[in-house]
Amino acid sequence: MNDTPTISWQEASKTKTSVWHSENATPAPKKVQVADDTIKADAAYKLCCEGTALLWRGDFQNAKQLMQAISRRIDRPGKKPKKAPTNMTEAFHLHRQAQSQKARILGMLLLEVSVGYHINLRRAPDIKAACEHAYGKSTQSFVVSLREILGLIGAYEWSKNGVEISVINNKIHPSYGVFSPIRGEYLTLVDTAPLPTPCTTAFDIGTGTGVLAAILANRGVKTVIATDNAQRALDCAQKNINQLEMKNAVTVLNANLFPDESYGKADLIVCNPPWLPARPSSVLESAIYDENSQMLKGFLNGLKAHLNDAGEGWLILSDFAEHLGLRTRDELLAWISAADLKVIDKMDTKASHNKTLDASDPLHAARKAEVTSLWRLTKK
């Protein structure tokens, strides 16, 4: 954990200071006041909106209820009707702006965590295992948002229970900060697309949890090199590969996109980059947003040099960005062509997640139309 940022507040006529921790690199609030069960939701909401953080000294479960009450007030329709966005691109940016504002306000409810990851509040849960999963061993006390702690607890439960991956008849255990493969439609594409002939070596670029590498190994690819440059992803992928007893087939490697030349070329190179070309607001969003399509372009531009002559590149990509007006199909095809590649096939599947059914979602029209594709690419 980074021990440089600090946060200060007044309590019992004294100025107190602690380390400030935020996985999203949110700056420490400048204005902080102590709060407990006596504060009303309207008053708490007003303070949080104005930029005053509340360091909680009351009952932990009441803090959760207060955060829910503040969330309801944020979502409550305003007195002035909002102007409807004129297109999906504007709707997307307004939606992200609203999400960011909501996260900022909800992040104003704070907890003090002592050494050993203990919260000294009534009815506080045991968060030690969840914090060690995300942060590592405890070395100091710190102040953190309640929202982040609840996120840690949820992520730890996902990690413990795992995500059932039907195509390998086993579970993948996502770690905190690593994208979870809860949307299964693209996994089926990777499991059913015809493998190139021969296919003894494959690279999985940006492996995350290692799920695609595991699917390829399960399909009989003898050597799979799974790369990532995020330490949490590397640790998560290695843990999953170990649990799946695939160490003989899959090597997890720290690399920016492709392995170096010592690993040779591959018969198959797979990549599932972040699907939206927008700036991530935090490290945790980097699995969703690919600023200026850097990873997508990097994969395409490096593919030819790392493929065997008869090899294929598989690009897994949703067209959600196209429906949002963030990228056009012509742009994507131009990038493929400029990389001296050609499309030999495209396998499609409709999105099947719950958000496609939520008509109140401002991005519903784009989500409902979304198609996820596996683009089979070869050298020209």
Side-chain angles (χ1 to χ4, degrees):
M1 286 169 52
N2 187 346
D3 61 355
T4 50
T6 59
I7 185 169
S8 299
W9 67 96
Q10 294 291 318
E11 189 171 9
S13 302
K14 293 181 180 179
T15 300
K16 296 189 175 183
T17 302
S18 179
V19 169
W20 166 251
H21 185 78
S22 169
E23 284 294 313
N24 285 338
T26 302
K30 290 183 170 60
K31 294 186 288 184
V32 183
Q33 76 176 50
V34 172
D36 60 22
D37 304 322
T38 60
I39 194 168
K40 302 296 184 184
D42 285 335
Y45 173 57
K46 184 172 185 292
L47 286 167
C48 292
C49 287
E50 293 170 349
T52 297
L54 305 176
L55 181 59
W56 194 252
R57 297 303 195 199
D59 180 273
F60 181 88
Q61 301 303 326
N62 288 348
K64 285 176 61 178
Q65 291 180 6
L66 178 62
M67 193 171 81
Q68 291 167 359
I70 292 172
S71 180
R72 289 193 296 272
R73 282 158 175 77
I74 296 170
D75 294 337
R76 198 162 54 193
K79 293 179 181 177
K80 293 182 180 179
K82 293 181 180 178
K83 184 182 175 183
T86 56
N87 54 54
M88 286 307 301
T89 307
E90 186 181 350
F92 168 72
H93 290 300
L94 288 173
H95 179 59
R96 279 204 79 193
Q97 187 179 54
Q99 283 184 315
S100 176
Q101 178 77 349
K102 184 174 183 177
R104 184 191 68 79
I105 295 170
L106 292 178
M108 287 290 179
L109 197 52
L110 312 181
L111 300 174
E112 188 171 19
V113 180
S114 62
V115 176
Y117 297 127
H118 177 70
I119 300 175
N120 188 27
L121 297 175
R122 293 187 304 277
R123 293 198 293 170
D126 182 351
I127 63 167
K128 183 179 179 183
C131 285
E132 286 183 346
H133 170 73
Y135 298 153
K137 293 294 182 181
S138 172
T139 58
Q140 59 197 351
S141 60
F142 59 96
V143 171
V144 64
S145 75
L146 169 63
R147 190 168 185 261
E148 180 165 315
I149 290 298
L150 294 178
L152 294 190
I153 294 170
Y156 182 59
E157 289 304 311
W158 272 111
S159 181
K160 276 199 308 181
N161 297 332
V163 178
E164 195 70 46
I165 307 296
S166 60
V167 295
I168 60 172
N169 195 29
N170 218 316
K171 287 184 176 183
I172 286 286
H173 297 265
S175 295
Y176 180 76
V178 182
F179 189 70
S180 177
I182 51 176
R183 285 183 57 173
E185 64 263 24
Y186 71 94
L187 303 180
T188 302
L189 291 177
V190 175
D191 188 56
T192 56
L195 293 170
T197 306
C199 190
T200 59
T201 304
F203 298 160
D204 173 19
I205 307 301
T207 193
T209 60
V211 64
L212 297 187
I215 292 172
L216 295 176
N218 191 62
R219 292 190 66 182
V221 180
K222 291 182 179 179
T223 302
V224 182
I225 309 297
T227 72
D228 213 297
N229 60 0
Q231 192 57 51
R232 277 180 172 152
L234 293 164
D235 293 342
C236 178
Q238 190 64 66
K239 185 177 178 181
N240 281 313
I241 294 305
N242 292 349
Q243 288 179 335
L244 293 169
E245 298 182 348
M246 292 181 172
K247 285 191 294 183
N248 291 338
V250 180
T251 299
V252 178
L253 186 69
N254 187 345
N256 184 13
L257 297 178
F258 298 94
D260 64 40
E261 293 176 357
S262 65
Y263 289 90
K265 297 183 178 183
D267 301 313
L268 175 63
I269 304 180
V270 179
C271 184
N272 176 28
W275 290 347
L276 294 176
R279 177 182 293 181
S281 62
S282 68
V283 174
L284 299 181
E285 282 193 344
S286 59
I288 304 168
Y289 299 107
D290 180 19
E291 188 174 8
N292 298 321
S293 300
Q294 289 176 341
M295 184 173 179
L296 171 57
K297 291 177 182 176
F299 169 69
L300 293 173
N301 291 334
L303 192 55
K304 181 180 177 182
H306 293 87
L307 267 182
N308 287 325
D309 289 340
E312 289 186 21
W314 289 359
L315 172 65
I316 297 105
L317 197 65
S318 155
D319 66 356
F320 190 39
E322 295 175 22
H323 296 294
L324 294 176
L326 302 176
R327 179 180 61 237
T328 67
R329 178 61 56 90
D330 286 344
E331 279 181 303
L332 175 61
L333 292 173
W335 296 340
I336 291 171
S337 180
D340 212 16
L341 303 168
K342 64 181 180 181
V343 180
I344 61 166
D345 191 18
K346 183 168 77 74
M347 300 170 60
D348 297 332
T349 183
K350 285 288 290 180
S352 57
H353 55 88
N354 290 336
K355 287 186 178 180
T356 61
L357 306 175
D358 182 6
S360 66
D361 183 344
L363 307 182
H364 176 252
R367 296 193 198 280
K368 190 175 180 182
E370 180 185 7
V371 172
T372 302
S373 302
L374 186 152
W375 297 74
R376 294 177 61 201
L377 309 173
T378 62
K379 299 177 185 181
K380 282 185 178 176

